Amino acid sequence: MRAVVITRGGGPEVLEAQDVEDPAPLGEGEVLLQVAAAGVNRADTLQRHGRHPPPAGASPYPGLECSGTILALGPNVPSRWSVGDKVCAVLSGGGYAEKVVVPAGQLLPVPEGVSLTDAAGLPEVACTVWSTVFMISHLSPGESFLIHGGSSGIGTFAIQIAKHLGIKVFVTAEKLAACKDLGADVCINYKTEDFVERVKQETNGKGVDVILDNIGGSYLQRNLNSLGVDGRLFIIGFQGGAVAEVNLQAVLARRLTIQAAGLRGRSPANKAQIVSEVEKNVWPAVTAGKVKPVIYKTFPLSEAAEAHRLMEASTHIGKILLLP
């Protein structure tokens, strides 16, 4: 099969589409997919630099989500799945390829009304957002929610699902019109405005209930200053570094919670639990057209380097996909 190989650590040019061995024979509860499209995620660019290695036993090729067709079933796959089914999946790796093996617990049916290609842009964002601010931070209808990076793949999904659930949405971004079109209530240009000040203005000095943060260190103190009483900060990335000096007074005074998690390193059982919750809670909103995948651009597998250049330039809105 063809797959994108990271030939060495470095810039986008180290990505090469090559002929490689087909995936190993299927183990217990595993499924073989013919990949229709794979989502490009910022974690893939970190893996390319050698900073986000695949978990033990995972494919060496990048790609944390895909859509496709079931080609074969391993032993003891649940009876709901059959050869020929159109599915999307969250992966530990290997999405940048023509075929990939995935545990059946990480499969989702392609939602009605969504194309097989576009479905590749849903699993990672849906599982990330649902497993963090909803399953752990318990973001609830009537609360307020600040999303950093509102025009990213994560951001465009988070705006839509939060609005659908009756939550007031604040975003920081540069591409504010796109965020507003998706339903964001308060759009803050992080380059020209102080988001702490805007949050305070818009909440009568109270602050927001939950923040989803992909920046980390450089935003930590400002995030804490933007939260209201019993506020929850959920960190999913460190684009602004992993180290910060912080005044903890606010944490004690306002009973704040700081949480952090990723998706890739979780156990298959844990991922299966998240996928099940996503199918139950998110998929009906997608089928109803209330939450849509936002696809910015697709590239052939052979142009994975170009896809990474676009991702790292951050000029896109929503998701970037690779097509085998």
Side-chain angles (χ1 to χ4, degrees):
M1 68 172 184
R2 299 284 286 171
V4 172
V5 177
I6 301 170
T7 56
R8 61 191 184 281
E13 69 283 352
V14 306
L15 298 176
E16 278 180 23
Q18 298 181 359
D19 289 313
V20 301
E21 293 289 316
D22 274 359
L26 295 173
E28 188 85 8
E30 289 183 333
V31 168
L32 178 66
L33 300 184
Q34 178 82 47
V35 176
V40 176
N41 289 281
R42 200 160 289 276
D44 306 337
T45 68
L46 298 178
Q47 180 175 339
R48 197 194 70 223
H49 282 293
R51 293 204 296 270
H52 191 59
S59 166
Y61 313 120
L64 299 177
E65 63 186 335
C66 72
S67 60
T69 307
I70 296 181
L71 286 178
L73 306 172
N76 299 318
V77 168
S79 59
R80 71 174 291 194
W81 303 115
S82 307
V83 169
D85 285 351
K86 308 292 185 200
V87 297
C88 53
V90 61
L91 309 169
S92 298
Y96 291 18
E98 291 176 331
K99 297 174 191 165
V100 69
V101 172
V102 58
Q106 290 166 217
L107 297 177
L108 286 152
V110 170
E112 213 174 299
V114 175
S115 72
L116 182 58
T117 298
D118 286 0
L122 284 171
E124 182 77 8
V125 292
C127 290
T128 297
V129 173
W130 195 262
S131 66
T132 55
V133 291
F134 291 98
M135 289 173 71
I136 299 175
S137 299
H138 304 295
L139 178 60
S140 306
E143 287 195 312
S144 53
F145 177 35
L146 170 61
I147 303 157
H148 290 304
S151 58
S152 67
I154 294 272
T156 53
F157 174 84
I159 292 167
Q160 294 180 81
I161 191 67
K163 282 309 294 177
H164 173 63
L165 295 171
I167 290 153
K168 184 170 183 179
V169 174
F170 295 65
V171 299
T172 62
E174 268 189 281
K175 297 172 271 297
L176 301 183
C179 299
K180 195 127 199 89
D181 289 347
L182 289 168
D185 298 289
V186 178
C187 300
I188 304 163
N189 186 327
Y190 69 92
K191 289 202 162 169
T192 60
E193 296 181 85
D194 177 350
F195 71 80
V196 182
E197 283 305 308
R198 272 296 299 281
V199 165
K200 289 283 171 63
Q201 279 170 17
E202 301 280 349
T203 59
N204 297 320
K206 288 201 302 231
V208 293
D209 296 299
V210 174
I211 299 175
L212 182 61
D213 174 53
N214 59 343
I215 301 296
S218 63
Y219 271 20
L220 181 57
Q221 188 69 58
R222 285 188 280 167
N223 279 330
L224 296 178
N225 295 347
S226 302
L227 285 168
V229 174
D230 292 319
R232 292 87 78 198
L233 167 62
F234 210 108
I235 300 169
I236 56 166
F238 299 114
Q239 284 172 238
V243 178
E245 185 171 311
V246 63
N247 182 336
L248 293 171
Q249 287 295 152
V251 178
L252 183 66
R254 298 202 303 281
R255 300 189 297 273
L256 305 182
T257 306
I258 302 169
Q259 301 160 315
L263 196 57
R264 187 181 204 178
R266 291 172 182 264
S267 69
N270 195 201
K271 285 181 187 165
Q273 181 192 0
I274 291 166
V275 164
S276 166
E277 291 288 321
V278 164
E279 185 171 3
K280 190 167 73 190
N281 295 291
V282 175
W283 251 223
V286 178
T287 302
K290 303 293 184 191
V291 175
K292 296 178 172 148
V294 178
I295 310 301
Y296 184 73
K297 194 167 183 186
T298 60
F299 292 87
L301 208 55
S302 59
E303 292 176 23
E306 280 307 307
H308 274 222
R309 284 188 191 101
L310 177 60
M311 167 64 74
E312 290 179 316
S314 291
T315 52
H316 62 293
I317 296 163
K319 295 292 293 189
I320 301 163
L321 304 180
L322 289 175
L323 310 181

